């Protein structure tokens, strides 16, 4: 029975291409399948992070701050997902009316009116590798003790974000002319 944790420098059976991918201060977790060794995870002591690989490619990282990166070894937030295709897919197998659900919860020890308790930002590259946000949706408490809130929709005009529409508990308030299409005609309110 081989050791489950083994330091790279103490592993003479590892080939040179694997040694180039992982420095000698790295600890690995390996799973033995028949005669083949499949390397599943590495712990980099100097960087104090854990890397998870498949087919010698790093797929996920947990850094020293507990940030998780999927498709990146340098997560910028608590969870950073990088790659092509669908980044997040939520599927529900509930029958009946229950569907897939995503909750964004703000647990403040002192909630107050006008607290922003949820934001979704949309953006990307606008020139080369320069990025910016282009639009945003915010959920804001209007009367936190009555559990009343509003949603605000923002768009960007160069450097300024402006609120284009708010939806309160009573109604929607367009901030400017509102255009919609119906039967290939455009109407303005």
């Amino acid at each position: 029975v081989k050791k489950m944790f083994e330091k790279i420098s103490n592993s003479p059976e590892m080939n040179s291409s694997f040694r180039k991918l992982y420095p000698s201060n790295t600890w690995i977790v390996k799973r033995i399948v028949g005669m083949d060794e499949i390397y599943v995870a590495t712990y980099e002591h100097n960087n104090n992070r854990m890397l998870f690989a498949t087919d010698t490619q790093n797929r996920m990282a947990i850094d020293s701050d507990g940030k998780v990166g999927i498709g990146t070894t340098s997560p910028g937030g608590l969870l950073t997902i990088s790659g092509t295709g669908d980044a997040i897919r939520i599927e529900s197998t509930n029958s009946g009316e229950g569907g897939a659900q995503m909750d964004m919860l703000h647990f403040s020890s002192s909630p107050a009116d006008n607290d922003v308790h949820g934001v979704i930002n949309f953006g990307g590259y606008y020139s080369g590798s320069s990025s910016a946000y282009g639009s945003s949706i915010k959920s804001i408490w209007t009367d936190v003790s009555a559990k009343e809130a509003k949603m605000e929709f923002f768009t960007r005009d160069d450097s300024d974000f402006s609120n284009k529409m708010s939806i309160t508990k009573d109604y929607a308030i367009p901030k400017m002319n509102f255009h919609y299409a119906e039967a290939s005609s455009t109407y303005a309110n």
Side-chain angles (χ1 to χ4, degrees), residues 57-77:
Q57 298 293 314
N58 288 323
R59 307 292 184 191
M60 187 173 84
I62 303 173
D63 73 8
S64 60
D65 294 329
K67 294 177 183 170
V68 175
I70 299 174
T72 179
T73 57
S74 302

Side-chain angles (χ1 to χ4, degrees), residues 28-189:
I28 62 165
V29 177
K30 59 185 176 180
R31 181 174 58 138
I32 310 301
V33 179
M35 298 299 290
D36 298 326
E37 294 178 355
I38 299 172
Y39 301 96
V40 199
T42 62
Y43 175 72
E44 293 182 345
H45 184 70
N46 288 352
N47 295 325
N48 195 23
R49 70 178 179 176
M50 194 90 181
L51 299 174
F52 299 86
T54 60
D55 194 27
T56 69
Q57 298 293 314
N58 288 323
R59 307 292 184 191
M60 187 173 84
I62 303 173
D63 73 8
S64 60
D65 294 329
K67 294 177 183 170
V68 175
I70 299 174
T72 179
T73 57
S74 302
L78 295 176
L79 173 62
T80 301
I81 302 172
S82 179
T84 59
D86 294 345
I88 298 175
R89 183 178 202 153
I90 301 170
E91 295 183 6
S92 173
T93 58
N94 292 339
S95 59
E97 296 179 12
Q101 175 176 321
M102 183 175 77
D103 296 331
M104 295 175 63
L105 303 170
H106 176 228
F107 292 121
S108 170
S109 60
S110 56
D113 293 353
N114 298 314
D115 277 359
V116 175
H117 53 88
V119 178
I120 301 173
N121 292 316
F122 304 90
Y125 290 138
Y126 66 90
S127 174
S129 62
S130 299
S131 64
Y133 293 117
S135 55
S136 182
I137 302 171
K138 293 182 181 181
S139 181
I140 303 167
W141 287 119
T142 54
D143 185 344
V144 71
S145 61
K147 297 180 274 188
E148 295 174 358
K150 66 180 175 180
M151 289 188 73
E152 293 185 341
F153 296 80
F154 293 81
T155 60
R156 185 177 185 158
D157 180 10
D158 190 24
S159 61
D160 296 324
F161 269 101
S162 59
N163 181 344
K164 300 299 184 192
M165 186 173 75
S166 294
I167 301 174
T168 68
K169 69 178 186 70
D170 298 316
Y171 51 85
I173 308 168
K175 297 292 184 177
M176 59 183 292
N177 282 345
F178 189 93
H179 296 277
Y180 61 94
E182 179 181 295
S184 70
S185 298
T186 302
Y187 300 88
N189 293 333

